[in-house]
């Protein structure tokens, strides 16, 4: 960084490159700074429940080492096998158990950062503080444009003694969303709350089991001939959807079916039992049909697979993408319908609601579409995003809950920031006057050297 | 602010002036901007559980209105009768139930800020986001040096259906601290966890009951003649301590007595019952003696009184002050002993441990001392702070957990920031080039116009 500052060339911090918004894609000449060898675990503090590690460590390696010692960080993005701690922090990642353990920015207690000048600074590591603004939160989420994170102290937790699953089905998303909201409102902290809309509920049943080895061993449920036949059927539906996405996109508007809500609880046996009981009462009150433990266990065993199953679609000449936005509970359901309506002109779209909080949740859309040729596909892809994030900006929802901004979402971010854009640009100029840190990302000025 | 920017004069945002670090004390000519009339509640959102209010609203008024509608914000600083929402946000305040509801920075979802230029900006209101750095956290804690908060969207919660109290006594702080740590580690979210050291345990019994009306009605326990006599005795001890603080400060090193741990739980009956059971098991395992519900109820009924009881000491020619620092669990106990040892040369010092988190807690020291005259008292006061915060800086603890920095702690803050000071100063210059926003605070450059 000192050399880059002296000679003035761009530096793009790089972990495992699993990001989906082009955050590590150079836009000009420069150096990609691979941090993968900064992968040490420096300390696991048994008393304070913290782990200190380098940014290059792969999520799964960090979690496995913590598990071995009886802990968990609670961060389980579906990219866990091919993404790093530094990448999580840079782009404000969320894992599948964020309802209990928070997002990565909630987990970070202290960070070490290399500035554009090459100087190394550290934020103080305390459970909470009132010592001026929270400086760690200025670097976290800046995707390498304000500094490069070279070490982090993260909060960890005892590996849960108890893990419970339970699922309910609902007629339509409304009652299910109300149940999610009320569960969070009751002070329950489920490890995961995932609600699949009608289409996502049909499709998730078709996922193959156990294609990636799971670190936690559960007995696999027997695969009866009837279930196997159902899987075949669902795979057939998937294939049709994938080949004619725009038509199915419009047709899907009229599908009325069941929605699956999957709940997971982690903690001491006494606490998880109380949480499960409270949640069951709420779901029943909202007309949920008890679906038992099995759908939850099935989700658990397949929870990382989705990220590795998309290539099939690409081989067929189509494209898939995911759009993860977030808003407060008063707007969630309307936003879901508005985005679906706006996008279904251009693509097949389905969604699940995950990452629930007391005050709102994330809506995670999956889209499939295609173009007559590559140019047309790119145009359609842009039309999908404009439609989806246009609805978000109109509603006052955030354009990204946990995938970050990178190169692709810069224009949407600046629209979300509005008047804060000026503050953002001034801060960038103050901290990186030569614009050498990952230029052109997050809507910031591109390299002009 | 537009006028101030044009004519270049300092502007000091002011709420109720209850801060104890001189954050609203002008250091030069300028304008004190009283925000007390921006005290409206704009919206209580029943679905998203948010309240939108002006910065001038007094904490107690906001909480009362929320209670009336069946909600709580969960923010209960002992200054609640004479402090404002804007002040809380500016100085990163904490309330007595922070273990459950978090500090004010955790409660804030979105803020509106007037910049030095007079421009009004807003941060997006979402439960979580990955849209670049968290801009709200740049203004929160900046104590009016980066901008003036003119509106805030805050997280609220259903008013708890159930509130349980339980207390334990321990021989010395060690076992009690271990219990606190293990309770938080077990995933219990008590509303309050307060541990008084030996001296603080002797003295809190002497506080008078019910001198400030409590919004929640509990039956007052009968005041037997024996208890009344005990109160007299404790008041006598207080008077002696106050008149010869330095001598008692040294003598106090040798006092070995009981430490009181008070626990409070809030939430649904099922959840609080599970939390209480888990906590009792942990305290018993760590040699705690069951002290029943009464000490908890007594604390609850007196919880705001301490802030209004200090004038007695000042009349007697002494001074009192409070020092609230925070660190991770591995350092808490050692820091407590080190600060006590360092300060007891200059003052009588006692402490309680409150604001517990899974990863550490706040140590709240109360000090009493005096000087031969005013100059000597000021010198002694400075010696106390240098000794206490010197130990904090050595240990890597934060110099303030929730009182903020203001004018008084600027030098200590800059020592805590170290290399980040340069980033801080650059950011300030970028956002307020004429230095008109509360100059001279947080260790920033003073007004030179």
């Amino acid at each position: 960084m000192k050399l880059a500052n002296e000679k003035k060339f761009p530096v793009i911090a790089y972990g495992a490159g699993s990001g989906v918004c082009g955050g590590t894609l150079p836009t000009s000449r420069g150096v990609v700074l691979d941090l993968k060898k900064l992968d040490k675990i420096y300390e696991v503090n048994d008393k304070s429940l913290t782990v200190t590690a380098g940014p290059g460590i792969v999520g799964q390696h960090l979690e496995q080492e913590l598990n071995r010692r009886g802990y968990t960080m609670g961060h389980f993005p579906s990219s866990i096998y091919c993404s790093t701690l530094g990448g999580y922090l840079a782009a404000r990642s969320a894992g599948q158990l964020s309802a209990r353990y928070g997002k990565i920015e909630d987990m970070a207690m202290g960070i070490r950062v290399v500035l554009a000048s090459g100087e190394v600074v550290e934020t103080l590591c305390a459970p909470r503080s009132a010592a001026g603004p929270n400086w760690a939160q200025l670097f976290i989420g800046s995707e390498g444009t304000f500094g490069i994170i070279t070490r982090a102290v993260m909060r960890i937790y005892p590996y849960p003694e108890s893990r419970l699953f339970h699922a309910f089905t609902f007629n339509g998303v409304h009652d299910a969303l109300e149940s999610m909201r009320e569960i969070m409102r009751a002070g329950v902290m489920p490890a995961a709350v995932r609600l699949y809309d009608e289409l996502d509920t049909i499709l998730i049943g078709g996922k193959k089991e156990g294609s990636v080895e799971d670190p936690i061993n559960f007995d696999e449920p027997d695969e009866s001939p009837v279930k196997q036949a159902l899987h075949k059927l669902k795979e057939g539906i998937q294939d049709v959807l994938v080949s004619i996405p725009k038509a199915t996109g419009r047709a899907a508007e009229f599908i009325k079916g069941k929605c699956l809500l999957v709940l997971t609880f982690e903690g001491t046996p006494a606490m998880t039992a109380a949480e499960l009981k409270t949640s069951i009462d709420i779901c029943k009150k909202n007309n949920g049909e008890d679906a038992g433990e099995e759908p939850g266990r099935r989700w658990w065993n397949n929870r990382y697979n989705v990220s590795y199953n998309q290539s099939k679609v690409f081989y067929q000449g189509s494209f898939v993408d995911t759009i993860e936005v977030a808003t407060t509970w008063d707007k969630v359901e309307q936003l879901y319908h508005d985005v679906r309506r706006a996008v279904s002109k251009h693509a097949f779209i389905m969604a699940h609601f995950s990452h629930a909080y007391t005050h709102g949740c994330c809506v995670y859309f999956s889209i499939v579409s295609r173009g007559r040729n590559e140019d047309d596909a790119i145009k359609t892809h842009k039309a999908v995003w404009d439609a989806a994030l246009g609805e978000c900006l109109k509603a006052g929802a955030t354009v990204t809950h946990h995938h970050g901004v990178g190169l692709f979402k810069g224009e949407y971010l600046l629209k979300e920031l509005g008047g804060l854009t000026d503050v953002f640009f001034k801060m960038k100029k103050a901290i990186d006057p030569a614009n050498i840190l990952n230029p052109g990302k997050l809507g910031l000025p591109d390299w002009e050297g």
Side-chain angles (χ1 to χ4, degrees), chain A residues 89-92 104-106 108-116 121-124 132-149 413 417 420-432 437 442 444:
Chain A
L89 289 163
R92 290 176 80 177
I104 202 80
E105 63 264 36
D106 305 308
M109 277 189 86
I111 53 170
R112 179 181 291 181
V113 178
V114 178
L115 302 175
V121 296
E122 260 179 61
T123 69
L124 191 110
N134 187 333
W135 294 108
Q137 297 300 333
L138 185 76
F139 295 102
I140 294 170
S142 77
E143 302 191 22
T145 65
F146 280 7
I148 296 175
I149 297 167
L413 172 68
L417 288 179
L420 274 167
T421 300
D422 185 48
V423 173
F424 183 24
F425 280 37
K426 278 181 180 159
M427 295 283 171
K428 168 69 175 177
K429 201 151 193 173
I431 202 169
D432 178 20
L437 284 166
L442 274 65
L444 288 163

Side-chain angles (χ1 to χ4, degrees), chain A residues 195-340:
Chain A
L195 165 64
Y196 300 89
D197 74 357
E198 289 90 337
L199 287 165
D200 217 338
T201 300
I202 293 172
L203 293 185
I204 57 153
K207 278 178 200 158
K208 283 193 195 66
E209 307 251 335
S211 59
V212 178
E213 209 194 321
D214 194 87
I216 295 110
N217 237 331
F218 282 108
D219 292 335
E220 290 286 314
D222 281 342
E223 200 71 353
S224 71
V226 178
K227 273 190 187 160
Q228 283 176 26
L230 268 171
H231 277 188
K232 282 260 149 56
L233 179 64
K234 280 166 189 169
E235 275 185 30
I237 296 174
Q238 280 180 325
D239 288 344
V240 173
L241 290 174
V242 160
S243 19
I244 44 161
K246 286 186 197 176
T248 41
R250 284 192 211 99
E253 288 275 315
F254 304 101
I255 292 185
K256 288 276 165 277
K258 293 279 179 189
C259 296
L260 181 68
L261 176 67
V262 174
L263 300 165
T264 311
F265 306 92
E266 288 194 347
T268 59
M271 295 293 294
T272 51
E275 294 191 317
L276 175 62
K277 194 200 164 301
T278 305
S279 304
I280 287 178
D281 290 348
I282 290 169
C283 289
K284 285 192 174 157
K285 195 199 75 176
N286 287 305
N287 313 309
E289 265 177 77
D290 198 319
E293 295 180 22
E294 203 269 338
R297 290 192 185 276
R298 185 151 30 103
W299 165 70
W300 183 264
N301 292 335
N302 286 283
R303 67 196 189 282
Y304 301 136
N305 295 4
V306 63
S307 299
Y308 308 92
N309 279 345
Q310 299 181 348
S311 45
K312 189 178 160 188
V313 176
F314 289 104
Y315 291 143
Q316 296 175 357
S318 300
F319 61 85
V320 291
D321 209 346
T322 53
I323 305 172
E324 27 65 64
V325 302
T327 192
T328 44
W329 282 118
D330 57 342
K331 299 177 187 164
V332 168
E333 194 173 344
Q334 190 60 47
L335 180 67
Y336 161 73
H337 289 300
D338 290 345
V339 170
R340 261 187 64 186

Side-chain angles (χ1 to χ4, degrees), chain A residues 18-32:
Chain A
S18 73
V20 291
C21 311
T24 58
L25 219 59
T27 59
S28 64
R29 70 186 183 85
V31 167
V32 171

